[in-house]
Structure formats: C-alpha cells, structure tokens
Amino acid sequence: MKRLWRASIWHPDAIPPDEFKYRSLKRVWLPIYDGIAVGAGLWAAAFGSPLLHSLLEEQVIDVMGILLAAVATVCFLGVAFPGLWKVEIGGKVTLMALLGAYAFAVAVFRTNPDPAAGFVAFVIALGIPLPLFRLTLLGEEIKERRGESDPEEGAA
C-alpha cells in the first residue's frame, strides 16, 4: 500500500517545487474531470439519452458508454500515477476522439433538424480542451526528461 501511495500524484513528493503551480490541476481537477467522464460513460450505458436514442441503436449506445467509462478510467489511472504517463496519453487521445465523434454525430447526423440540438454539440465539445491542455503539459514533461529546451527560451 505504501508503494501505491508513493507512486500516486497525491504523495507529497510527487510534484517537484518548480511545478507547484500545476498541483491543484494534477491532484484535484484532472481526477474530477476523469471521474465525471467515467460517470457519463456509465450513465450512457445504463440509461442513454433521448438524443443518443435518436442517433444510435441501443447496443451502440451501451458499447460507446462502456468505452467512454473504460477510457476515462485509464485517464484517471494515468493522472493518479504519473509513472503511467504513456497510458494517460493514449487515454486522453482516445477520450478526445470519442468526445469529438459524439459532438460531430450530434451536429451532423441528428434526425431532428432543430438548430437547438447544435447547442448540445458545443457542450460536448467543451470537454475537449482540458485533455488537450493535459497532453500539452505531458509533451513538455517529455521534452524536459529528454533534456530538450524550448526554442522560445533560447531566443530571449
């Protein structure tokens, strides 16, 4: 159990002092975001939604919900245990693809021509920037591990 605690993002030594500005993002907001995504996937699998039912068959909704919950769980594990950063990258890319595909489907393939349904597509798309920001941070961390410098820093 102590090894798990030491490997987690919540261990006091998990975040170096020069990255403290990101500690609430890594310890609070990203795990909450991933937890909400898990809940959304489970909800979709259990109950679906009127909009989903107008677009897809019940079995497809169930599979997509379970897939969303599974991918969000992978993302959560990657956030919770920084050593799993490669897993988190794959999860975040997949999560963004799922959200993007869902938003696209709602906007383009809806059977209801009501323009108000487009609002739902925008709300779904709101879920994409945070994982994209996280991928940017992970990319910067990878560059730091490799010893690469930021070209903008050298230009100053």
Side-chain angles (χ1 to χ4, degrees):
M1 205 55 170
K2 286 184 180 181
R3 276 185 58 191
L4 273 179
W5 170 245
R6 262 193 304 276
S8 81
I9 195 67
W10 299 285
H11 188 272
D13 298 330
I15 300 174
D18 62 330
E19 293 181 17
F20 270 15
K21 61 186 168 194
Y22 298 115
R23 70 179 174 261
S24 67
L25 175 71
K26 294 178 177 185
R27 290 180 174 160
V28 178
W29 303 119
L30 289 170
I32 287 174
Y33 177 91
D34 293 335
I36 291 170
V38 169
L42 294 174
W43 194 272
F47 306 109
S49 78
L51 186 57
L52 285 176
H53 289 291
S54 72
L55 294 171
L56 305 165
E57 297 293 322
E58 187 70 34
Q59 297 83 1
V60 174
I61 296 169
D62 292 347
V63 168
M64 294 299 288
I66 292 166
L67 182 59
L68 177 59
V71 166
T73 300
V74 167
C75 292
F76 176 83
L77 290 172
V79 167
F81 300 100
L84 299 176
W85 60 271
K86 290 179 184 177
V87 171
E88 184 183 2
I89 289 172
K92 291 290 195 257
V93 168
T94 306
L95 179 64
M96 290 186 324
L98 286 171
L99 292 172
Y102 180 32
F104 182 79
V106 168
V108 176
F109 298 114
R110 64 183 190 269
T111 57
N112 179 358
D114 181 4
F119 170 75
V120 176
F122 281 108
V123 170
I124 295 163
L126 278 172
I128 296 173
L130 185 58
L132 189 57
F133 176 65
R134 176 63 176 155
L135 286 172
T136 303
L137 287 179
L138 287 168
E140 291 300 320
E141 290 173 9
I142 291 166
K143 283 189 341 190
E144 286 175 12
R145 278 194 288 277
R146 292 181 179 165
E148 299 173 21
S149 63
D150 187 345
E152 291 179 14
E153 290 177 8

